[in-house]
Amino acid sequence: MSAQLSIIQVDHPVRQIFLRESHSYTIGRDPSCDICIDDDEISRTHALLEFIDSRWVIRDDNSKNGISVAGIATVESKLSNNTWIGLGSLALRFELLTQEQENQQTNAEQRLRHQTMNGRQRMSDSAADISQVLENLMSSALSVSATDRAFVMLTREDGDLQVVCSQGDQGKPFAQHEFIGSASAVQLALKTRKPVVTCDAAVHQQFGLKASIIASQTRALVCLPMALFGRVLGVIYADSRQPGKVFTDLDVTLLGELAEHAALVVAASQIDEQIDQIDQAGSENLTVERLRERVATQQHRIPDIGRQSTKIRQQPAAGVRWSWIESQL
């Protein structure tokens, strides 16, 4: 019987791996392992998972921190459905899959991909209206992530972040577009320019004890930067209070595709705006030297991740400009 192994780490999306009866799986930190897990608790070759006599079996491979099955330390054990496996302090969930369940999962993944494609198309179709682009981005992010609430923020000219759209538990925007999620998660996404994911925010090392997490009872969250050419144009943030809510590798990949597409549309709009400014300057018969002087006086407004503020403003944005004039001269 086919099976699925879910690898659960607090600060990573959940990895779901399909297991076939015809194959044995080595588990360890070494890249040559069939299931490679980059974690200090895991030995280079930690365990072996295989299908023997119509049963799945896990066996310790002389690991440093050992294995446990259903909370009991063991050297070798048969696995049943919905069994928790411990590799050191790392938790893995083992599930048996019928053909029907496997088909259902495949169909669910296809629906998520289809939703993502539709979301990207809606953003492209509404490219002339950036506010509508961002509303479509938020709607698609909520649909893909299946979370309770979401926020889209853009980088202002002064480097601060501005909430431009939001949606709460009741499907309504928050008052004055206030941000009430985890500022620490946003700061980390800005700093690393990588997705920040946790399936248990309360125990996360960097922001688990923050007042915003405790007050909102946030269980799972994801924050992705909208980056282009090394600069961050904004972030997408979504979270959930649902017990047991997880984000998988696929969820984060699809959300990343939405963020990347939104960044392209936003950047294109900002370039168009700057080109219009150049055209207007040309109609005023300004010299190139004068244009360069104007650009020089606006350099402080260009968002730069190296000096980007992590302050989040609470009032609605009137618009965000990104001065690309000099590159057009």
Side-chain angles (χ1 to χ4, degrees), residues 119-130:
R120 293 172 63 179
Q121 186 61 52
R122 285 196 300 271
M123 282 189 280
S124 296
D125 292 342
S126 59
D129 183 350
I130 287 300

Side-chain angles (χ1 to χ4, degrees), residues 266-278:
V266 170
S269 174
Q270 292 173 347
I271 292 172
D272 287 342
E273 183 178 351
Q274 299 306 327
I275 291 175
D276 288 342
Q277 290 181 6
I278 292 175

Side-chain angles (χ1 to χ4, degrees), residues 288-307:
V288 170
E289 289 73 17
R290 181 54 181 159
L291 283 173
R292 290 189 183 279
E293 288 177 9
R294 282 192 175 185
V295 170
T297 63
Q298 300 296 319
Q299 287 299 308
H300 69 283
R301 294 190 175 188
I302 301 176
D304 186 339
I305 190 62
R307 59 178 173 81

Side-chain angles (χ1 to χ4, degrees), residues 88-152:
S89 61
L90 187 66
L92 294 81
R93 185 182 181 186
F94 175 86
E95 300 170 273
L96 295 173
L97 294 180
T98 63
Q99 186 61 53
E100 181 180 0
Q101 289 172 323
E102 188 174 338
N103 292 339
Q104 288 174 349
Q105 287 206 8
T106 299
N107 292 337
E109 290 181 2
Q110 291 176 345
R111 284 196 299 272
L112 281 177
R113 295 182 188 278
H114 186 66
Q115 289 172 1
T116 303
M117 291 177 61
N118 285 342
R120 293 172 63 179
Q121 186 61 52
R122 285 196 300 271
M123 282 189 280
S124 296
D125 292 342
S126 59
D129 183 350
I130 287 300
S131 62
Q132 187 59 53
V133 168
L134 298 175
E135 288 286 347
N136 288 333
L137 170 62
M138 183 183 64
S139 175
S140 297
L142 280 167
S143 178
V144 171
S145 65
T147 49
D148 300 323
R149 58 186 187 176
F151 302 84
V152 176

Side-chain angles (χ1 to χ4, degrees), residues 6-226:
S6 298
I7 303 172
I8 302 173
Q9 296 171 283
V10 171
D11 55 353
H12 288 78
V14 174
R15 287 173 58 194
Q16 295 180 324
I17 301 169
F18 283 105
L19 307 173
R20 303 297 181 188
E21 300 172 5
S22 58
H23 191 74
S24 297
Y25 298 85
T26 55
I27 306 174
R29 199 175 69 252
D30 194 294
S32 65
C33 290
D34 298 298
I35 301 174
C36 179
I37 305 175
D38 185 15
D39 190 284
D40 292 340
E41 292 282 326
I42 304 298
S43 298
R44 292 186 65 83
T45 54
H46 198 110
L48 178 66
L49 187 61
E50 54 188 340
F51 194 75
I52 302 175
D53 296 332
S54 301
R55 296 290 299 270
W56 284 97
V57 176
I58 190 167
R59 183 184 305 116
D60 189 9
D61 192 13
N62 297 315
S63 66
K64 178 180 179 181
N65 293 316
I67 68 173
S68 63
V69 174
I72 301 174
T74 184
V75 174
E76 180 178 327
S77 178
K78 295 179 180 179
L79 301 174
S80 55
N81 190 32
N82 291 327
T83 297
W84 286 95
I85 301 170
L87 303 184
S89 61
L90 187 66
L92 294 81
R93 185 182 181 186
F94 175 86
E95 300 170 273
L96 295 173
L97 294 180
T98 63
Q99 186 61 53
E100 181 180 0
Q101 289 172 323
E102 188 174 338
N103 292 339
Q104 288 174 349
Q105 287 206 8
T106 299
N107 292 337
E109 290 181 2
Q110 291 176 345
R111 284 196 299 272
L112 281 177
R113 295 182 188 278
H114 186 66
Q115 289 172 1
T116 303
M117 291 177 61
N118 285 342
R120 293 172 63 179
Q121 186 61 52
R122 285 196 300 271
M123 282 189 280
S124 296
D125 292 342
S126 59
D129 183 350
I130 287 300
S131 62
Q132 187 59 53
V133 168
L134 298 175
E135 288 286 347
N136 288 333
L137 170 62
M138 183 183 64
S139 175
S140 297
L142 280 167
S143 178
V144 171
S145 65
T147 49
D148 300 323
R149 58 186 187 176
F151 302 84
V152 176
M153 293 177 274
L154 289 185
T155 304
R156 292 167 52 95
E157 293 176 349
D158 59 8
D160 291 345
L161 285 177
Q162 177 72 62
V163 177
V164 292
C165 55
S166 62
Q167 183 170 313
D169 298 340
Q170 305 302 318
K172 298 179 180 179
F174 290 97
Q176 296 183 343
H177 286 316
E178 61 180 332
F179 180 71
I180 57 174
S182 171
S184 297
V186 174
Q187 291 167 356
L188 185 59
L190 289 174
K191 179 180 179 180
T192 62
R193 282 182 280 179
K194 295 180 180 179
V196 172
V197 183
T198 180
C199 299
D200 195 347
V203 300
H204 193 282
Q205 183 177 1
Q206 292 185 258
F207 45 82
L209 297 179
K210 299 294 184 179
S212 59
I213 295 294
I214 297 172
S216 64
Q217 298 181 327
T218 298
R219 303 297 292 268
L221 67 82
V222 59
C223 183
L224 299 95
M226 295 162 52

